[in-house]
Amino acid sequence: MSVIALTNVRPYGESTVNVLIKDGQIASVGEDVDTSKADEVLDGQGWVLLPGLVDMHVHLREPGREDTETIATGSDAAAKGGFTAVFTMANTRPVIDQPFLAEAVWNKGQSYGKCDVYPVGSITQGLEGKQLTEMGLMSKSHVRMFSDDGKCVNDPQIMRRAIEYAKAYDVLLAQHAEDHRLTEDASAHEGPMAAKLGLRGWPRVAEESIVARDMIMSRDYGGRLHVCHASTEGTVQLLRLAKQHSSKITAEVTPHHLLLTDEKLETFNGNFRVNPPLREHRDTIALRDALLNGIIDVVATDHAPHGSEEKCVEFEHAKPGMLGLETSLAIIARVFVEAGLADWRFVAKVMSERPAEILRLEDQGRPITAGEPANLTLVDPNSPWTVEPEELASKASNTPYEGMQFNAQVKMTMLRGAITYQADNE
Ligand code: NCD
Ligand code: ZN
């Protein structure tokens, strides 16, 4: 197998080294590493080298809505965004509620080879909230996480059983926390902006009441529980309480809930409609603090492609969801690194190491040292670029960041020593 040398790279944004990659692994790292015998030399130009990013929450729409995204196009978008592993949610058509469907998703991802695509299994059959799936069988078909994401497991008895099974099979249960009775016909966060625009509101309590209930269930029944897309200040308070009592709860926050607020809704642009909705400034601030101090564990994009016919309609009729894979690193760099709140070690932690740890991935989120798998992302922290929907690798173009400028840009992504994405040389 060929030997690749990355020269002048800064692991975690620290001092400059050369990295030699052989047989899919990091062979050596250091200032004096001899790169003269490499088959391919890539000049890192002082850019930041991170472990390949891991996204616990994406929607790749295959099977069923291949017109908006496929495992292949989603893998391309993931690689371009710096990801080497993603977890694709079960709310496809058909729903991923049986082992052979999970196998098919995994196999497609592997044969395309740009990113490890892990199938998420649904908690209930058909996402109907009534009958549990065969979690034990699915856990033998590459399923490490179960979720009815897109829908909440509202029925407390079903949720209790799911938590007990999750404990028995040692898998992660991820909840989309939304009391649907409180969000009927809602398209925006319930607050002054929704009132002003005449939109039906989605109150914070619809999320927080489920998080609180699940927290107590996990305390008493003990399974590993994960809160998808935490979006409110109150959820942060609940998570703080849960963690004080050493609960097994983990949580994610999306880049859009860290960067955007419901002020964007004034445009009535359907690309700003998402579940849970964009909230208010104080929520954004609470979420940022929570990620900084570990109350929220990870960043997950909730990459949710939709066709233009589902987005370019009246706001209330637009489908909720926004693209995230290709913009998330740039957003996290802006909100935390460029703002002086955190360094690249933090980015590696919340976008690679912690998600890999939560999902028990042995080959992801590893230190950048000799003997480790060569799953890597090279980032130029200072390469201003503008988000243009038509330039995205994703099949869909429902990005809420159109026209926005960011600084950090992924230059190269590598999966087990193979380059899965490389930026064009300007
Ligand atoms: C997601 C989707 O489109 O599948 N939409 C969204 O607004 N986030 C489902 C989900 O994550 O809830
Ligand atoms: Zn969701």
Side-chain angles (χ1 to χ4, degrees):
M1 203 176 175
S2 65
V3 177
I4 302 179
L6 305 177
T7 59
N8 307 312
V9 294
R10 292 186 300 125
Y12 312 100
E14 292 162 9
S15 51
T16 309
V17 295
N18 297 335
V19 178
L20 217 54
I21 290 142
K22 211 170 138 182
D23 297 331
Q25 287 198 332
I26 300 174
S28 47
V29 180
E31 282 172 41
D32 308 319
V33 168
D34 178 16
T35 58
S36 61
K37 292 198 184 76
D39 303 293
E40 193 179 342
V41 178
L42 224 140
D43 181 6
Q45 303 182 38
W47 296 332
V48 175
L49 189 65
L50 298 176
L53 309 180
V54 177
D55 192 342
M56 295 180 63
H57 188 153
V58 303
H59 298 269
L60 300 190
R61 305 299 189 213
E62 183 173 354
R65 284 305 304 268
E66 291 87 348
D67 57 313
T68 57
E69 196 81 288
T70 64
I71 289 167
T73 60
S75 296
D76 287 337
K80 195 170 172 190
F83 293 90
T84 48
V86 299
F87 285 73
T88 185
M89 286 293 177
N91 66 335
T92 48
R93 289 184 212 158
V95 169
I96 308 302
D97 58 5
Q98 295 180 61
F100 82 96
L101 293 165
E103 289 283 351
V105 169
W106 171 257
N107 290 338
K108 278 214 171 178
Q110 290 302 293
S111 62
Y112 192 64
K114 295 275 187 81
C115 184
D116 286 346
V117 178
Y118 285 89
V120 176
S122 68
I123 297 171
T124 68
Q125 292 173 26
L127 299 187
E128 283 170 1
K130 297 195 177 98
Q131 296 274 331
L132 291 179
T133 54
E134 293 278 4
M135 290 168 67
L137 289 180
M138 284 212 281
S139 71
K140 297 191 178 78
S141 298
H142 308 283
V143 178
R144 293 158 184 260
M145 163 160 60
F146 288 83
S147 180
D148 273 7
D149 182 60
K151 284 192 184 163
C152 181
V153 181
N154 263 4
D155 184 326
Q157 182 66 352
I158 295 280
M159 191 60 186
R160 174 188 177 166
R161 294 282 174 247
I163 286 189
E164 289 171 333
Y165 278 110
K167 186 179 180 194
Y169 296 118
D170 198 17
V171 291
L172 187 71
L173 209 63
Q175 174 76 294
H176 166 120
E178 171 181 359
D179 187 328
H180 294 293
R181 285 284 287 137
L182 291 169
T183 62
E184 276 167 28
D185 299 322
S187 59
H189 163 67
E190 185 179 284
M193 184 56 76
K196 180 175 156 191
L197 302 178
L199 297 171
R200 183 78 59 99
W202 205 122
R204 291 184 180 91
V205 67
E207 172 172 310
E208 294 159 11
S209 56
I210 297 291
V211 172
R213 180 201 74 178
D214 289 354
M215 236 168 84
I216 298 166
M217 285 211 185
S218 127
R219 180 197 67 193
D220 286 5
Y221 309 128
R224 287 192 286 139
L225 189 84
H226 180 78
V227 177
C228 293
H229 38 52
S231 75
T232 75
E233 190 183 28
T235 292
V236 168
Q237 286 161 354
L238 290 166
L239 289 168
R240 182 174 295 118
L241 190 70
K243 294 211 167 181
Q244 272 165 8
H245 294 88
S246 72
S247 145
K248 289 187 186 129
I249 286 206
T250 55
E252 70 190 31
V253 61
T254 68
H256 47 271
H257 288 110
L258 291 166
L259 184 70
L260 307 174
T261 66
D262 65 351
E263 281 179 24
K264 290 282 182 196
L265 269 48
E266 281 212 291
T267 60
F268 281 105
N269 178 342
N271 285 337
F272 292 110
R273 180 162 179 201
V274 67
N275 257 348
L278 298 177
R279 304 274 184 195
E280 294 178 60
H281 184 64
R282 67 182 165 99
D283 300 291
T284 305
I285 296 301
L287 293 166
R288 289 178 184 181
D289 283 348
L291 189 66
L292 279 169
N293 57 36
I295 298 293
I296 290 179
D297 300 79
V298 306
V299 171
T301 66
D302 193 8
H303 178 82
H306 288 296
S308 55
E309 74 286 3
E310 293 159 335
K311 278 299 195 180
C312 302
V313 292
E314 296 82 3
F315 193 83
E316 301 95 304
H317 296 133
K319 277 210 176 166
M322 38 179 73
L323 298 184
L325 282 168
E326 296 170 71
T327 43
S328 57
L329 184 76
I331 293 169
I332 300 311
R334 157 156 313 166
V335 171
F336 296 100
V337 183
E338 293 164 27
L341 296 173
D343 56 15
W344 288 100
R345 285 255 172 208
F346 169 79
V347 178
K349 184 175 94 184
V350 298
M351 296 189 77
S352 173
E353 293 161 7
R354 270 303 274 153
E357 194 177 10
I358 292 169
L359 288 151
R360 313 237 172 110
L361 301 179
E362 281 159 7
D363 58 342
Q364 300 281 347
R366 301 293 306 162
I368 302 175
T369 51
E372 295 290 352
N375 296 324
L376 298 165
T377 298
L378 188 58
V379 186
D380 181 352
N382 200 3
S383 174
W385 63 287
T386 305
V387 181
E388 311 278 8
E390 61 278 7
E391 283 176 17
L392 298 173
S394 174
K395 203 165 188 179
S397 49
N398 55 305
T399 172
Y401 309 109
E402 176 172 4
M404 282 179 72
Q405 228 196 42
F406 293 104
N407 295 319
Q409 193 174 29
V410 174
K411 292 293 184 181
M412 192 243 7
T413 307
M414 182 179 273
L415 177 64
R416 291 183 280 278
I419 294 173
T420 52
Y421 169 74
Q422 193 165 7
D424 298 335
N425 289 328
E426 294 101 63

